[in-house]
Amino acid sequence: MSASHVIIGDGIAGSSAAETIREEDPDADITVITEEGEALYNRILIKEFAKGKLPEAPISIHEEDWYAERDIDLELDTVVTEVDTDAKAVHTYEGETHEYDKLLIATGGTPTQLPVDNSDADGIHHFWTFQDARAIRENAAEADTGIVVGAGLLGIDLAAICGAQDVEANYLMRGNRWWRYALSEDGAEIIHDALEEHGVTPVFDSGVDHFTTDDDGQVTGAVDPNGEEYDGEFVGVAIGLNFNTEFLDGSGIELDDGIVTDEYMQTNLEDVYAAGDITRFYDTILGEHTQNGAWGSAKEQGAIAGMNMVADDEEEAFRWVSSYSITHFDFPFLSFGHPTIGDDHAERKYSDTEWRRVAFKDGKVVGGVLIGDLAPQSKFKQLIREERDVADQKEVLLEETVDLDKLDASAEVESE
């Protein structure tokens, strides 16, 4: 009898798992369940769509026919209400029951709403799905003034959308710079200048005390904790994700700000796996549990989970150095690994649009940020994978052209 695989979530993690399972087991019974009304699309490109730079067509990755051709049952617009791990069954709001031999949970998260008055007003947008992008594109195209909240990698997408749509926007940040956990003031200054060139004004030591609305419930602006008022017909908020785990109450699956997995993407329960943003996975490089929401990481996790779901013997571990790029400006920007953690760092500014920062933990490279020149990324990723102790050789890593042969030969390679 064919094995039954149920996958909850059709993002890149869930879809990658389904594709891998089908490749590894042509006879497997595969069901993919998603709350969204459309099949897999490119979450990286939806920001270009929202900026008005791309039509809808290139955004889609899989049409519904793709699943049918691979004999994968795709259930769109379907809400999972319960996972019964004892009976090995998934229950939906529509009253359907899907029994499984192996289960993968890849439901991602829902954008966090600001806990302030009027945060649900019309014209306030959160950026996660294709539907979000459609609403953002339409609203931004009609707006003259805007407000962006959330000084991180999704927040800057919203700021770039304002710039592309000629919306005069204020970018309200709680700290003294953008992405202050990964960038120093020197690095952030490059981003601030680029934002201003695009008509977006960074406002530091700010935030939102409450939003203002008109009589129709449409947002008109925001008041920050300092009492400063800002006009905004368009508002974009990106302050994090709430992971979609409510339907797992009583399932026995271990949760800790997401779903806890080992390096094989398996949860604490046999035959239950998780992949993508929602996972707090065991990172074999760091030697601890962590999270990573990058597209490439989610795709690889899905593939690893799918492979292990059909494996009869030796499992494959997830070992990955992720990266995240921003393409909104005249210069490239890339973060790699885990740039916000570490106990030491090295950085250098090479020009008005070139800067580098490398983060270390226990002497080893764990992440960093490159602005302007992305050429060293492969070498830094290699150092992360090899777990080499190189923090005492910062000057070599900050040379404009990084030559790993210059590193002290005594810097041992701890892991291949």
Side-chain angles (χ1 to χ4, degrees):
M1 186 173 180
S2 300
S4 176
H5 301 270
V6 173
I7 298 170
I8 308 174
D10 185 43
I12 188 60
S15 179
S16 180
E19 185 171 11
T20 301
I21 292 169
R22 175 55 70 228
E23 290 172 352
E24 296 293 321
D25 185 354
D27 298 322
D29 181 14
I30 307 172
T31 300
V32 177
I33 303 172
T34 177
E35 291 188 17
E36 294 199 54
E38 53 200 318
L40 178 68
Y41 51 84
N42 192 320
R43 289 189 188 274
I44 297 173
L45 290 182
I46 60 173
K47 56 192 173 187
E48 297 302 320
F49 168 81
K51 286 162 66 175
K53 303 295 185 182
L54 284 178
E56 286 205 15
I59 312 299
S60 176
I61 294 178
H62 292 161
E63 300 294 341
E64 291 183 49
D65 288 350
W66 182 91
Y67 300 83
E69 290 167 1
R70 289 159 179 79
D71 195 21
I72 296 171
D73 181 19
L74 176 65
E75 302 283 341
L76 298 173
D77 295 309
T78 303
V79 178
V80 173
T81 55
E82 181 188 2
V83 172
D84 185 338
T85 54
D86 291 327
K88 302 185 82 169
V90 172
H91 301 285
T92 72
Y93 180 79
E94 293 76 12
E96 296 179 338
T97 298
H98 297 272
E99 296 181 349
Y100 66 85
D101 293 308
K102 301 288 178 70
L103 172 68
L104 174 68
I105 304 165
T107 48
T110 302
T112 303
Q113 185 171 300
L114 275 169
V116 301
D117 288 346
N118 299 323
S119 62
D120 59 350
D122 291 339
I124 298 178
H125 300 272
H126 299 88
F127 193 20
W128 197 244
T129 68
F130 203 171
Q131 279 298 93
D132 295 335
R134 293 183 180 103
I136 287 169
R137 176 171 172 155
E138 181 179 353
N139 189 191
E142 298 172 350
D144 293 319
T145 58
I147 295 167
V148 176
V149 186
L153 296 172
L154 285 179
I156 204 165
D157 288 345
L158 289 162
I161 290 165
C162 288
Q165 296 279 24
D166 295 322
V167 178
E168 186 177 335
N170 286 293
Y171 194 167
L172 308 184
M173 309 182 195
R174 288 192 299 177
N176 67 345
R177 62 190 183 276
W178 178 75
W179 206 20
R180 64 188 188 275
Y181 300 114
L183 275 66
S184 68
E185 291 187 41
D186 279 349
E189 182 181 24
I190 297 173
I191 303 299
H192 301 159
D193 291 345
L195 287 167
E196 291 182 346
E197 288 175 7
H198 284 70
V200 177
T201 302
V203 182
F204 307 115
D205 299 315
S206 181
V208 177
D209 179 80
H210 64 275
F211 291 105
T212 56
T213 62
D214 62 19
D215 292 340
D216 295 324
Q218 178 74 31
V219 69
T220 57
V223 178
D224 79 0
N226 307 311
E228 297 292 330
E229 299 182 22
Y230 300 92
D231 293 335
E233 304 159 81
F234 169 90
V235 174
V237 176
I239 59 169
L241 290 178
N242 293 321
F243 296 111
N244 298 328
T245 58
E246 300 88 351
F247 65 95
L248 298 177
D249 289 348
S251 67
I253 297 171
E254 183 181 358
L255 305 176
D256 180 12
D257 192 27
I259 300 175
V260 179
T261 77
D262 59 17
E263 62 267 41
Y264 307 108
M265 309 317 300
Q266 183 168 320
T267 70
N268 60 306
L269 300 183
E270 189 175 1
D271 299 331
V272 180
Y273 296 76
D277 298 343
I278 201 170
T279 58
R280 180 169 290 279
F281 63 94
Y282 183 77
D283 190 315
T284 61
I285 297 174
L286 292 179
E288 61 186 65
H289 280 83
T290 188
Q291 284 174 296
N292 188 296
W295 177 272
S297 175
K299 182 177 182 180
E300 179 71 6
Q301 285 186 8
I304 292 291
M307 204 169 302
N308 291 335
M309 288 166 75
V310 299
D312 291 327
D313 41 34
E314 187 176 347
E315 294 180 302
E316 184 168 342
F318 173 73
R319 187 176 175 86
W320 186 262
V321 181
S322 66
S323 58
Y324 189 98
S325 62
I326 293 174
T327 57
H328 300 309
F329 307 120
D330 294 334
F331 52 83
F333 173 105
L334 180 132
S335 68
F336 59 91
H338 298 276
T340 62
I341 70 172
D343 48 35
D344 191 11
H345 73 274
E347 67 173 80
R348 182 167 295 167
K349 190 172 184 178
Y350 304 89
S351 73
D352 289 343
T353 57
E354 286 184 83
W355 178 84
R356 181 186 306 169
R357 186 177 193 268
V358 184
F360 305 90
K361 185 176 182 182
D362 299 327
K364 303 166 187 173
V365 179
V366 291
V369 176
L370 303 172
I371 299 177
D373 179 15
L374 308 188
Q377 66 168 302
S378 61
K379 294 174 182 177
F380 288 134
K381 287 181 177 181
Q382 178 182 334
L383 289 176
I384 294 175
R385 286 191 295 268
E386 293 178 349
E387 301 180 49
R388 294 175 67 177
D389 194 332
V390 294
D392 60 345
Q393 301 176 77
K394 296 183 177 69
E395 282 303 312
V396 176
L397 302 181
L398 292 178
E399 288 181 7
E400 200 151 357
T401 300
V402 179
D403 184 354
L404 298 186
D405 290 337
K406 291 184 178 181
L407 290 171
D408 190 337
S410 64
E412 295 182 5
V413 177
E414 297 192 7
S415 177
E416 294 298 332

